[in-house]
């Protein structure tokens, strides 16, 4: 990809009961989708999203089971796409996590 080309990112938030996603370029339109867990295979969902609007990178945040995160990582690796996973920390840049067990956030 040329250096002057913008990077299209897919943002994914995996919660305890739903998975939300949107393309970063669609944030200003608040165009996001939320689907319940268990009604899909994550690889199939990612393929559907990718076929409609390809992306170069995934930014992932998850509080759900690590195996679902691993599935996203494996899918992105197979597609040769970057996938960055947010990790909760006790404090960073002057912000303090209010959870006693910060990894719960």
């Amino acid at each position: 990809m040329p250096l002057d080309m913008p990077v299209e990112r897919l943002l994914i938030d995996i919660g305890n009961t739903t998975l939300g996603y949107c393309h970063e370029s669609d944030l200003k339109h608040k165009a996001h989708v939320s689907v319940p867990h268990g009604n899909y295979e994550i690889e199939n969902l990612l393929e559907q999203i990718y076929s409609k609007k390809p992306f170069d990178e995934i930014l992932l945040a998850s509080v759900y089971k690590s195996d679902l995160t691993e599935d996203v990582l494996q899918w992105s690796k197979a597609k040769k796409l970057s996938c960055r996973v947010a990790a909760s920390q006790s404090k960073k840049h002057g912000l303090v996590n209010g959870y006693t067990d910060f990894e719960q956030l």
Side-chain angles (χ1 to χ4, degrees):
M1 174 175 18
L3 293 177
D4 58 343
M5 294 280 299
V7 174
E8 181 66 45
R9 292 180 181 94
L10 182 69
L11 311 177
I12 302 176
D13 178 19
I14 303 175
N16 288 316
T17 58
T18 61
L19 179 148
Y21 66 89
C22 76
H23 288 81
E24 185 178 45
S25 60
D26 294 334
L27 278 176
K28 62 185 169 205
H29 306 296
K30 298 181 181 172
H32 72 280
V33 177
S34 184
V35 294
H37 284 237
N39 293 344
Y40 58 88
E41 294 289 327
I42 189 68
E43 296 89 351
N44 292 338
L45 177 63
L46 290 168
E47 286 292 340
Q48 289 172 16
I49 297 167
Y50 190 80
S51 69
K52 290 178 186 171
K53 186 175 180 181
F55 46 88
D56 307 300
E57 182 176 33
I58 297 172
L59 302 182
L60 173 66
S62 178
V63 296
Y64 197 61
K65 296 186 265 183
S66 61
D67 58 337
L68 195 54
T69 296
E70 187 58 35
D71 290 345
V72 174
L73 288 167
Q74 290 301 318
W75 182 88
S76 62
K77 183 177 179 180
K79 286 286 196 187
K80 296 182 176 25
L81 300 173
S82 172
C83 182
R84 294 191 287 164
V85 180
S88 185
Q89 299 176 12
S90 62
K91 57 182 157 180
K92 179 107 180 193
H93 300 296
L95 297 174
V96 178
N97 188 326
Y99 280 58
T100 304
D101 181 0
F102 69 88
E103 292 178 339
Q104 292 283 315
L105 178 65

